[in-house]
Amino acid sequence: QKEVEQDPGPLSVPEGAIVSLNCTYSNSAFQYFMWYRQYSRKGPELLMYTYSSGNKEDGRFTAQVDKSSKYISLFIRDSQPSDSATYLCAMSADSWGKLQFGAGTQVVVTP
Amino acid sequence: EPEVTQTPSHQVTQMGQEVILRCVPISNHLYFYWYRQILGQKVEFLVSFYNNEISEKSEIFDDQFSVERPDGSNFTLKIRSTKLEDSAMYFCASSPVGTGDQPQHFGDGTRLSIL
């Protein structure tokens, strides 16, 4: 079983829709959960950082962590064409530890 | 906003040659990392570095790889004798040390092409 699973997509949504992304994981030691956005030929850009279970909101972005189900989600409200990118989930057991990444989900927001 | 910078953006090297990838982490960060991403695959951890020594390394980080912090600002990854399978994007990341959130921030990477 892969340590972090993420549907690669592509996920195509119309402008203004809610984008829903998720990852599942198998390692119960993971405590720190991140979402990164990656544009073509660029590095991962941090969007959300969450410790343990719960919700976190930042502008149009909401991250949810359910450690009991080993499931994390990212929601993007009022999606824009500029949100078109690959979204990577990442997680680690320690605050400074190595990140384990998902495969990334390609999102396309059409005008 | 402070950022991690990497040079060069693209490096083309003959198989068997040595290559050095350079990174300038965010200035007040003390934990440094290298990751790589082979085309079409996941981002993979290579090595982490703190207090002038390796904290953790992956199976990929064998004797052909080394890291160094030659001065107060640069962090380098050296591949001693490159192989075709070393072709990938190499990302440097850094994170602060202390209390509170300590996420890793990434540079835009060096695309390494081995011929």
Side-chain angles (χ1 to χ4, degrees):
Chain A
Q1 184 184 12
K2 291 181 184 175
E3 208 163 17
V4 180
E5 302 248 23
Q6 184 177 9
D7 188 332
L11 178 64
S12 184
V13 300
E15 184 175 356
I18 294 175
V19 176
S20 175
L21 303 166
N22 59 76
C23 288
T24 58
Y25 63 95
S26 58
N27 187 347
S28 58
F30 289 145
Q31 297 191 83
Y32 298 87
F33 304 92
M34 285 131 275
W35 287 95
Y36 288 87
R37 177 173 62 195
Q38 187 176 28
Y39 293 113
S40 181
R41 297 193 179 277
K42 292 286 192 178
E45 173 193 2
L46 182 70
L47 290 176
M48 301 291 281
Y49 176 86
T50 311
Y51 169 68
S52 194
S53 284
N55 294 356
K56 188 172 186 177
E57 190 172 315
D58 184 1
R60 296 185 296 115
F61 299 93
T62 299
Q64 292 182 348
V65 174
D66 181 349
K67 287 188 68 182
S68 62
S69 301
K70 296 190 179 70
Y71 185 90
I72 70 170
S73 303
L74 177 71
F75 300 96
I76 308 173
R77 289 182 299 281
D78 187 25
S79 57
Q80 305 295 312
S82 57
D83 294 326
S84 297
T86 297
Y87 289 80
L88 309 171
C89 65
M91 46 200 79
S92 66
D94 306 302
S95 59
W96 307 316
K98 65 182 179 185
L99 296 181
Q100 195 75 31
F101 280 86
T105 299
Q106 183 186 2
V107 172
V108 178
V109 181
T110 53
Chain B
E1 185 171 323
E3 57 183 26
V4 176
T5 57
Q6 291 187 244
T7 55
S9 57
H10 187 197
Q11 174 82 45
V12 182
T13 302
Q14 292 287 334
M15 186 172 61
Q17 295 296 304
E18 175 183 286
V19 66
I20 297 175
L21 310 182
R22 291 182 166 79
C23 169
V24 178
I26 294 172
S27 63
N28 63 343
H29 286 186
L30 295 177
Y31 238 105
F32 313 119
Y33 311 82
W34 285 101
Y35 292 82
R36 80 173 184 190
Q37 186 175 31
I38 294 171
L39 187 64
Q41 297 186 23
K42 291 184 178 185
V43 176
E44 302 174 286
F45 169 78
L46 292 178
V47 65
S48 59
F49 190 87
Y50 173 69
N51 203 23
N52 280 321
E53 61 183 26
I54 290 173
S55 300
E56 188 175 3
K57 59 183 181 180
S58 71
E59 295 174 350
I60 304 167
F61 194 88
D62 61 21
D63 292 343
Q64 294 300 313
F65 291 87
S66 62
V67 289
E68 191 179 30
R69 184 139 165 94
D71 54 44
S73 59
N74 289 283
F75 180 52
T76 62
L77 174 70
K78 183 193 292 187
I79 309 175
R80 192 176 340 181
S81 178
T82 50
K83 306 183 187 72
L84 293 176
E85 54 264 37
D86 294 328
S87 295
M89 284 291 290
Y90 287 81
F91 294 109
C92 174
S94 67
S95 69
V97 173
T99 58
D101 291 350
Q102 289 139 36
Q104 294 177 31
H105 295 266
F106 286 75
D108 278 339
T110 293
R111 182 155 63 103
L112 179 63
S113 300
I114 308 299
L115 304 179

